[in-house]
Amino acid sequence: MCYDSKSGAIRAIGMNEKREFIKQRLKKLADLRARGINPYPNNFRVLHTAQDIINRCSGKSPDDINQDNELFVIAGRVMSIRDFGKSSFIHLQDRTGRIQAYLRKDKLGDEPYQIFKKQIDIGDFLGIKGRVFVTHSGELTLLADAYTLLCKSLLPLPEKWHGLQDIETRYRQRYLDLLINQHTRATFQLRTRLIALIRSFLCARDFIEVETPMMQAIPGGATARPFKTHHNALDMDLYLRIAPELYLKRLVVGGFERVFELNRNFRNEGISTQHNPEFTMLEFYQAYATFEDFMNLTEELFSYLCKELLGSHKVVYQGTEIDLSPPWKRISLIDAAAHFGAINKNDLADREKALTHAKRLGIELMGDETLGEIITEIFERVAEEKLVQPTFVTHYPIEVSPLARKNENDPTVTDRFELYINGREIANAFSELNDPEDQRRRFLSQAQAKLKVEGQITEIDEDFLTALEYGMPPAAGEGIGIDRLVMLFTDAPSIRDVILFPLLRSERQED
């Protein structure tokens, strides 16, 4: 990509133009080597960052700064060059930000300055030693006593004023997106901080962080299509995990009463603005807790994150203000389906009447769905997108909750909730099923349903059932989609905006 001065737009570099550009840079590379200059050294020791210098000078007057003789040693990428003949201003960018540097012929010497003018380009990495001063325009600047070329770039950066705006290029060449777009860097810096805050929050409550297998002999813990691979040495098929749930519950059986994992999950399904085949989840489990306890904990966690990251309990997402101040609305799934679907709740207690409403709504059904499955389909059609402010949807039907505990008062539903914000599911939690006989029946029912619909035989996880037979204390568990959470706090419209390297169709396929 480069800047077209005629059209004033970013355009793709043609192959011939790219070859010519590289040819010129390679010539400079050869000239440097002919002078005995290594264009890719690794012996420059950085002592400061751009932010270090800014912090050291903060609160000082220009006169005090100009009289300060402290020597700074920094390194970064050259992001701009302004040539004034016998002097040049550049901007260096490192991990903390940018700072201006001033290179003068009389300060550096004739030959080093001529090498700088002829051989150094935007995109190169330089190390600079010097002292700071404040220019007439008031900009803090490093006056270079010496410079060192640390890396010669061979391709042009996108033009700085217009940035890297093409969405496809930003995703495919994230390194350029991070380099040019401050908003992108801020998004992923916030993501890193958010994960650190979650760890701190849970560890302060006596949870311990664990790691469970990413390759599993039996994919479990969720209903999704897995990625399949083969281990040659063991001559066995394995699956990339769709969820870590069953392993985390094994740990609860083993006496780890409070555990969490920030994990990568893989689901061989569609791609959209909300879905990527590889994504990040937080899952945590607590013995002697219920799904109601986790509603309170989730409110506490989200409001804490919002306050720490944004300084408020409110966040604006795509023009809508979301208030994360507890308490949040709580509504049962059947009540939400009846309310938003303008359906008499009594009709949803009768399968035939519920089926009639589903057909009226244009929901495609096979015809043999259970009442609980029909109600869930109605809820997803009429209610989900209308749950803008944080809302806990509770008591999901047992047919769609194979790992959740039955409700004591109504065995047709489970002690489960899903959290919706801005019409999107953000979290899923329930009081865990720890009755091994009930769990076996649920697994068998789930396997029979899959065989009927997909014609696939599902293997039952006997080791997990064995673990339950040894006894698992009453517990609650929850999964939170980290990517969607970052989308909320960064006002990102697509999940691709918050994943550093999202999966994309290959360019060869697109051609």
Side-chain angles (χ1 to χ4, degrees), residues 60-70 131-134:
K60 294 182 179 180
S61 69
D63 287 342
D64 289 340
I65 293 172
N66 294 343
Q67 293 172 13
D68 194 339
N69 288 319
E70 183 176 4
R131 293 161 177 78
V132 293
F133 72 101
V134 179

Side-chain angles (χ1 to χ4, degrees), residues 236-251:
M236 64 183 293
D237 289 337
L238 293 169
Y239 302 87
L240 294 182
R241 71 176 171 205
I242 55 177
E245 178 170 346
L246 301 187
Y247 281 93
L248 290 171
K249 287 197 276 195
R250 284 172 168 92
L251 296 179

Side-chain angles (χ1 to χ4, degrees), residues 491-504:
D491 195 22
S494 171
I495 196 171
R496 294 182 180 184
D497 294 321
V498 300
I499 295 176
L500 280 169
F501 300 102
L503 184 64
L504 302 170

Side-chain angles (χ1 to χ4, degrees), residues 293-414:
D293 295 323
F294 271 22
M295 280 190 269
N296 297 332
L297 186 65
T298 304
E299 288 176 339
E300 188 180 352
L301 172 61
F302 278 49
S303 60
Y304 162 75
L305 292 173
C306 194
K307 183 68 174 178
E308 290 292 319
L309 295 170
L310 306 179
S312 166
H313 287 140
K314 296 180 179 180
V315 57
V316 176
Y317 183 76
Q318 299 296 293
T320 299
E321 184 178 81
I322 308 295
D323 188 353
L324 296 176
S325 304
W328 300 343
K329 181 179 179 181
R330 304 181 184 191
I331 185 173
S332 71
L333 182 137
I334 192 170
D335 284 343
H339 173 73
F340 291 104
I343 301 169
N344 187 309
K345 185 177 176 180
N346 292 329
D347 287 354
L348 295 181
D350 182 284
R351 184 184 179 280
E352 293 307 313
K353 290 181 180 179
L355 185 60
T356 299
H357 283 293
K359 290 178 178 178
R360 174 179 60 81
L361 293 166
I363 298 172
E364 294 184 7
L365 297 170
M366 296 181 64
D368 58 352
E369 287 83 2
T370 65
L371 176 59
E373 290 170 332
I374 295 170
I375 296 172
T376 303
E377 291 283 349
I378 292 173
F379 162 78
E380 291 176 354
R381 174 63 61 89
V382 303
E384 280 189 350
E385 65 180 16
K386 296 175 182 176
L387 302 175
V388 176
Q389 296 302 320
T391 303
F392 292 116
V393 178
T394 66
H395 299 100
Y396 276 67
I398 193 169
E399 300 95 324
V400 297
S401 311
L403 295 164
R405 178 186 175 88
K406 289 179 185 176
N407 182 266
E408 294 285 352
N409 298 318
D410 183 357
T412 66
V413 298
T414 57

Side-chain angles (χ1 to χ4, degrees), residues 27 42 64 86 142 193 286 312 323 410 434 477 481 502 510:
K27 183 179 183 305
N42 192 20
D64 289 340
K86 294 182 180 181
L142 188 66
R193 189 171 174 222
Q286 179 178 337
S312 166
D323 188 353
D410 183 357
N434 62 345
E510 291 181 350

